[in-house]
Amino acid sequence: MRSRARTAGPRRSRTFRAAAVAVTVAASLSLTACGSGSSGSDGAGGAVKLSFSWWGDASRAKATQDAIALFEKANPGITVTTQYATFGPYNQKLATQIAGGGAPDLMQIDWGNQSQYAKSSTLLDLATGSGTVDISGLDAKFVGSGKDGSKQVAIPFGQATQGFVVNEAKLKSLGVDVPKAGWTWDDLAAFAKQVHDASAGKVAGISDPGSTWPAFQSWLVQHGKPLYAPDGKLGFTEADLTDFWAFCTGLRKSGAATPANVTATLTAGPAEDPLAKGTAAAEWDYDSIFASHVAATKDTLTLVPLPTVNGRTGMYAKPSMLLSVYAGSKHPKEAAKLLSFLVNDPQAAGALGSSRGMFPNVEVRKQQAASATGNNKVVSDFEAASATLLSATPSAPPKGDGQLLTLMQRIYGAVSFDQQSPAQGAKSFMQQAQQILAG
Amino acid sequence: MSTTAALGRSASATPTPAQKEQRTTPRRGFADRTAGYVFLLPWFAGLAVFTLGPLVYSLYLSFTDYNLLQSPRWVGFANFHQMFTADPRFFHAVRVTLTYVVVVTPVKLGLALGVAMLLNRRRRGIGLYRSLFYLPSLLGSSVAVALVWRSLFSQGGAVSNGLGSLGLPNADFINDPTWALPAIILLACWQFGAPMVIFMAGLKQIPSELYDAADIDGARRWARFRHITLPLLSPVIFFNVLLETINSFQAFTPAFVISGGTGGPADSTLFYTLYLYQKGFTDFQFGYASAMAWVLLATVAVLTALMFRLSRVWVFYGDGGNR
């Protein structure tokens, strides 16, 4: 034993050197070699196999899988395999799949990515050819948001509207009234402070909206400004962002909005956010996420329109998610058939409920609203009540929108932890945002 | 000493017949070697396809602008130039990573050596203790442990509540920029089992008569550690330092899982590797990400070379020479 240790000296030093080289190489490889996996869908043996992926939580997944089961029942030759993930990881994976040539036949895409994917010809034109989708029953203006130039590259899968998701049960137990449509930001500040005081500081009135990119968009629209100018550059100034963040910072410092460490959990999604944990009584979100919020808590939730500035809510009908058929799909016809089913069929509407906001087919949407119950009724009532409050839908966001969303989270993170003032944060946001949009 | 020499001689004498046979039949040796290489072929193919190929491709990508969807566009040194002149987050990530490396490597190895020395004795049930201390390493950099860590150290978690019940402020460590990185460092230090096992193997090889001799000379515990254990263990220490340093530079999983991929809160856990990942898979700047990977590779390679150079001074190999 002992003597081997000694005689092995020189040999070991060589082993060390070899090990060091090997380890060094491995160090770089594990970083650079994150390859893309591709999965081919094959329809050998007569039966057609489709793949379909989307982002969302478990409750949306269940609704979608129920709808697909109905489709499979009506089309015995077709089976559909599904995949879902939360928003961030989903988009990362989808981009890799597309680059590797292994994207799913049918995929849910974000409005912010649409033009980028369309320009690299990965999305099938759904208006002509084998992959034609019946869009006659859909609101023409709304379907237009899925166009890239003259090509219909995507179909909106749902219509979402912005609002505040409010924990009605919690407010009741605290003796605070649910805010009413037409409220102002001052009302919101007073309401939030009231919740904070009534709960002895345990519950904040709202989740701090300072890190939420689309919440800033509604604030801007209320002030008569767009998020993006028609040329795709920023439509607001440093002063606008400073104002917004200064307002949020005021709420946060008074305890009306969630503290920085709680706000940071907003990125984790509805299942783990302050509303689900009971640390905030209200939260800015789309009504298409309402069902997911409901699934994450035992309390009764409701929807309230956004606060107003000079009567403007800044709310608009957003194509919340869009469906596209992969241009490289082996079964474009069947994929388009599934897409048609998901946006037109009353059965699909029944299964999907409000899991993606309002159903695309207008006739079916009306029937659905008439017979809705539970969460679906809350959402459809909210949509009906908000219809007159809406601004025009802006044009599709430019490439880079997704990066600005995370930039907002990051810089407001620094602001909320008091590492930067709202003005300093706004300055560095503008610099980095312009860089991103230019690149 | 004489036993060593004798054993050394006998060790070198043992393979002689085999060597002789090889020398007398060179053709068979050639055939054997060819067969060996043929058997190795699958491995070489794998190396070429899965290792060298991507490696070379990523070197090419580091000089391009590549967003996965459009084909790469050659930009020369623009990525490197931007990295070193116009990217504050890059330097921030470097700072976070260096902090981690500088703290984790010595603390983890110190713990590993200390516990290895405690466990380096014959007692009943010592095997159980060794396994227990090794256990966290088995869980390694797994996602599950990072998730557990996140729930332990975030608001309402066991650690926060425990501190709270002791009357201490129950902080939300994971979502506080001051404490998020220390929480990850703690996780890394806790997993000291792998270097501990290597240390134990090294300790076992130190001849006990050296300690006996030192005892007779009246050496105290510290002197024995300083003059016997440390020098004789130095090759093993060197190996562990090298390995842990390189490992620490590559740390990714805990930071990714605990921060939910953001490097937050407020970029406090933005490790170099995590920033690299974000550049690639969130911002879709694969050229830039590849450039970052190569900068990391070059840094680690230079550091490794430096450590080897330095090791000549302090690493003691039993045969007298250090090469």
Side-chain angles (χ1 to χ4, degrees), chain B residues 40-273:
Chain B
L40 274 174
L41 253 181
W43 184 83
F44 279 122
L47 179 78
V49 173
F50 296 114
T51 305
L52 289 178
L55 198 66
V56 171
Y57 189 55
S58 95
L59 182 60
Y60 160 69
L61 284 184
S62 68
F63 295 103
T64 63
D65 179 13
Y66 179 44
N67 70 355
L68 267 192
L69 298 171
Q70 277 108 5
S71 42
R73 190 169 55 86
W74 186 264
V75 294
F77 282 92
N79 289 327
F80 296 95
H81 187 256
Q82 193 195 339
M83 203 182 298
F84 288 109
T85 58
D87 189 352
R89 280 190 99 203
F90 171 80
F91 287 105
H92 179 76
V94 168
R95 210 158 38 232
V96 170
T97 307
L98 285 181
T99 311
Y100 178 84
V101 171
V102 167
V103 177
V104 165
T105 311
V107 173
K108 187 174 183 178
L109 292 182
L111 273 174
L113 181 56
V115 176
M117 289 176 70
L118 283 179
L119 295 181
N120 187 32
R121 51 186 76 173
R122 279 168 219 272
R123 287 267 170 86
R124 269 179 60 175
I126 197 77
L128 177 71
Y129 286 114
R130 285 176 190 160
S131 311
L132 281 178
F133 279 107
Y134 185 61
L135 207 59
S137 286
L138 280 180
L139 306 170
S141 57
S142 81
V143 173
V145 164
L147 282 173
V148 169
W149 214 254
R150 187 169 80 172
S151 64
L152 276 179
F153 283 86
S154 53
Q155 191 129 52
V159 174
S160 305
N161 282 352
L163 287 179
S165 65
L166 293 175
L168 295 162
N170 55 341
D172 182 358
F173 296 98
I174 296 303
N175 292 306
D176 185 326
T178 321
W179 293 107
L181 184 59
I184 291 176
I185 287 177
L186 190 66
L187 172 59
C189 294
W190 177 58
Q191 297 172 326
F192 61 78
M196 181 194 77
V197 168
I198 299 173
F199 275 135
M200 287 199 314
L203 287 170
K204 284 239 176 299
Q205 296 190 337
I206 299 176
S208 64
E209 59 261 40
L210 291 181
Y211 291 113
D212 298 341
D215 273 343
I216 294 168
D217 288 345
R220 298 269 169 95
R221 189 176 282 190
W222 169 250
R224 291 189 332 197
F225 176 74
R226 168 79 186 74
H227 297 291
I228 300 172
T229 312
L230 269 188
L232 287 181
L233 203 59
S234 60
V236 178
I237 296 176
F238 175 55
F239 176 76
N240 269 337
V241 168
L242 200 63
L243 213 63
E244 284 307 321
T245 309
I246 295 172
N247 270 342
S248 305
F249 270 104
Q250 294 179 81
F252 173 77
T253 316
F256 179 85
V257 173
I258 288 176
S259 75
T262 62
D267 274 357
S268 57
T269 60
L270 187 73
F271 282 58
Y272 191 95
T273 50

Side-chain angles (χ1 to χ4, degrees), chain A residues 118-143:
Chain A
K119 291 200 170 49
S120 53
S121 6
T122 46
L123 309 181
L124 196 70
D125 188 352
L126 302 169
T128 54
S130 58
T132 308
V133 173
D134 176 17
I135 47 173
S136 57
L138 278 63
D139 178 355
K141 222 173 25 180
F142 199 59
V143 169

Side-chain angles (χ1 to χ4, degrees), chain A residues 120-329:
Chain A
S120 53
S121 6
T122 46
L123 309 181
L124 196 70
D125 188 352
L126 302 169
T128 54
S130 58
T132 308
V133 173
D134 176 17
I135 47 173
S136 57
L138 278 63
D139 178 355
K141 222 173 25 180
F142 199 59
V143 169
S145 56
K147 275 194 170 169
D148 188 75
S150 60
K151 282 187 182 167
Q152 185 77 46
V153 295
I155 311 279
F157 194 4
Q159 173 183 325
T161 305
Q162 307 78 3
F164 267 97
V165 181
V166 176
N167 188 331
E168 207 174 2
K170 185 143 261 162
L171 291 187
K172 205 171 200 177
S173 71
L174 294 173
V176 179
D177 293 334
V178 175
K180 292 201 171 51
W183 58 331
T184 64
W185 287 96
D186 287 341
D187 296 339
L188 178 135
F191 155 80
K193 190 79 180 49
Q194 206 185 341
V195 172
H196 171 80
D197 294 345
S199 65
K202 285 208 177 89
V203 184
I206 59 168
S207 301
D208 191 341
S211 63
T212 311
W213 181 232
F216 176 54
Q217 181 180 28
S218 3
W219 165 282
L220 281 175
V221 176
Q222 290 165 355
H223 289 84
K225 292 197 175 187
L227 191 61
Y228 294 106
D231 61 359
K233 297 215 168 80
L234 296 177
F236 59 93
T237 64
E238 196 179 309
D240 295 323
L241 186 55
T242 308
D243 285 351
F244 179 63
W245 279 348
F247 177 76
C248 296
T249 299
L251 290 182
R252 191 182 69 246
K253 293 216 157 136
S254 71
T258 47
N261 62 332
V262 176
T263 312
T265 62
L266 274 177
T267 51
E272 288 179 61
D273 72 0
L275 204 61
K277 293 211 170 135
T279 47
E283 190 167 301
W284 188 101
D285 215 332
Y286 291 106
D287 60 356
S288 53
I289 318 290
F290 183 72
S292 307
H293 282 297
V294 170
T297 177
K298 286 187 202 110
D299 293 348
T300 324
L301 305 181
T302 189
L303 280 161
V304 175
L306 294 182
T308 55
V309 173
N310 300 326
R312 266 196 299 251
T313 60
M315 293 154 64
Y316 67 90
K318 190 190 179 214
S320 56
M321 299 129 208
L322 299 101
L323 285 174
S324 289
V325 174
Y326 180 46
S329 167

